[in-house]
Amino acid sequence: MSSHAAQRVPDGGERVDFVDPGDRVVAGGSRDGPAPHGLLRRYAATVCTDHAGRVLLYRRSSRARAYPAHYDVLIGGAVRAGEEYRTAALRELREELGYETACGLTEAYRHRVDDPHGAAFLTVHQWRADRAPRPDPGEIAWCGFVAPATVLGDRYAPLVPTGAEALRRLFLHAPRSP
């Protein structure tokens, strides 16, 4: 059985692990199903920068499940069953932007978030891109490198809240949003 097939559940969806408040895997199930009571999902994302310190900003597809047509700086998604956060971040960079490798990818922070799908642990990575992205048009409607402070202005609205928080935490050193 291929590793891709092993990541599927009977309904055809992706298989994910659910974690307790200590970020320990305690259950598995469908990505599309509800998290068991008291358990959290896991997400991995990356903020990409260029040699000038600008961040890769993109506009999500109008067909995205969450935050359709919003701007974001976090390239990422669900951590699959048995997958580590870093491995998931690398997979998402490959799937969404065409980056086969990402030397120097580092974890910046991990924290609990509440998103449209429920409570989750989000691990944010940073990576300095060494080549131009090749975005997946099914996921990304537009992308380009933009100064972090510019992204937080009114020009790029609506902006995904967790992406805005990542910019403040990583580049502007502003306090976290409540």
Side-chain angles (χ1 to χ4, degrees):
M1 179 186 300
S2 75
S3 62
H4 185 68
Q7 299 301 326
R8 299 279 172 198
V9 290
D11 68 2
E14 279 184 342
R15 183 166 171 69
V16 297
D17 292 324
F18 296 102
V19 297
D20 66 14
D23 200 14
R24 292 176 296 269
V25 174
V26 295
S30 172
R31 171 186 168 179
D32 296 329
H37 180 72
L39 299 183
L40 298 92
R41 298 174 181 283
R42 299 182 305 149
Y43 296 110
T46 303
V47 175
C48 299
T49 57
D50 68 2
H51 68 283
R54 299 173 301 176
V55 296
L56 182 67
L57 176 69
Y58 71 99
R59 190 167 37 99
R60 299 169 63 85
S61 162
S62 61
R63 296 179 309 277
R65 290 189 215 194
Y67 301 109
H70 280 56
Y71 288 95
D72 200 359
V73 297
L74 294 173
I75 298 293
V79 178
R80 292 179 179 162
E83 198 172 42
E84 298 295 327
Y85 286 102
R86 186 176 195 285
T87 304
L90 290 166
R91 176 179 47 77
E92 292 289 344
L93 285 171
R94 183 180 62 255
E95 290 174 359
E96 295 185 22
L97 295 175
Y99 292 122
E100 292 298 324
T101 60
C103 295
L105 178 76
T106 59
E107 183 176 319
Y109 65 90
R110 182 179 307 178
H111 72 136
R112 184 184 164 148
V113 297
D114 291 310
D115 80 352
H117 303 294
F121 275 106
L122 170 66
T123 299
V124 175
H125 299 79
Q126 286 184 280
W127 179 60
R128 184 173 146 193
D130 54 4
R131 57 203 172 278
R134 291 176 290 130
D136 174 353
E139 302 255 356
I140 296 174
W142 170 89
C143 71
F145 286 97
V146 179
T150 303
V151 175
L152 292 170
D154 292 337
R155 181 175 177 194
Y156 299 105
L159 183 62
V160 174
T162 52
E165 181 175 353
L167 287 175
R168 287 190 291 273
R169 288 178 71 140
L170 298 174
F171 299 98
L172 303 180
H173 309 292
R176 286 181 54 189
S177 60

